[in-house]
Amino acid sequence: GINPYSGTDTDYIKKITDSFDGTQIGNISLVNDDIFAVFPLIKSGYAESAAMIQKVIAFILSKQNTNGSWEGSVDLTSSAVQALALNQSLPGVSDAQIKAKNYLSGNQQDSGGFGNSSFATSWTMQAISALGEEPSGWQKNSKTPGDFLRSFQESDGGVEPSTSDENT
């Protein structure tokens, strides 16, 4: 319920839009800043029809690898899928999502998880949902991503040990 333009001391939407260079947002050598900029822009009123959104999505699509990933990362690919899901009607998005889904599916481990952490699996579960699917439908070795996450659950209910770094 906070106005993203005036609800805090800093207008974060302006910071994002000011870093748009006509093609992409932030550092030209990174794609993650573009992916993560899409979420607040869309939520703050920018539409798929906005030229900036169209150009940023085109930039994100241009960074997808032939194997369907972004930077060979399950986490970043899952984030890209979520950002693209907010912009379904733009050219190339559907094909990119199919390739990303294939990449993610191919990286599911026998444990049901993705990567070796709860983080990669959590990101992937969100991507699966953004694709309109249920994570419980993604099984490998009869195990789902949820099964993998449950294997990390501690007695206090948390998913990571209480001895983990507090930033975790």
Side-chain angles (χ1 to χ4, degrees), residues 78 114 120-130 133 135-136 145-146 149:
S78 295
F114 297 83
T121 301
S122 296
W123 277 110
T124 305
M125 289 175 76
Q126 292 175 78
I128 292 167
S129 293
E133 299 182 17
S136 60
L149 280 184

Side-chain angles (χ1 to χ4, degrees), residues 6-59:
S6 62
T8 64
D9 291 340
T10 303
D11 179 347
Y12 291 103
I13 303 305
K14 184 172 180 353
K15 282 185 162 290
I16 293 169
T17 58
D18 284 353
S19 69
F20 178 64
D21 67 6
T23 302
Q24 60 84 50
I25 293 171
N27 188 325
I28 188 76
S29 67
L30 300 175
V31 69
N32 62 330
D33 51 1
D34 300 275
I35 291 168
F36 289 108
V38 168
F39 299 106
L41 290 175
I42 293 294
K43 294 294 184 179
S44 67
Y46 283 80
E48 286 179 301
S49 59
M52 181 171 48
I53 294 294
Q54 291 178 7
K55 289 179 180 184
V56 169
I57 294 299
F59 178 78

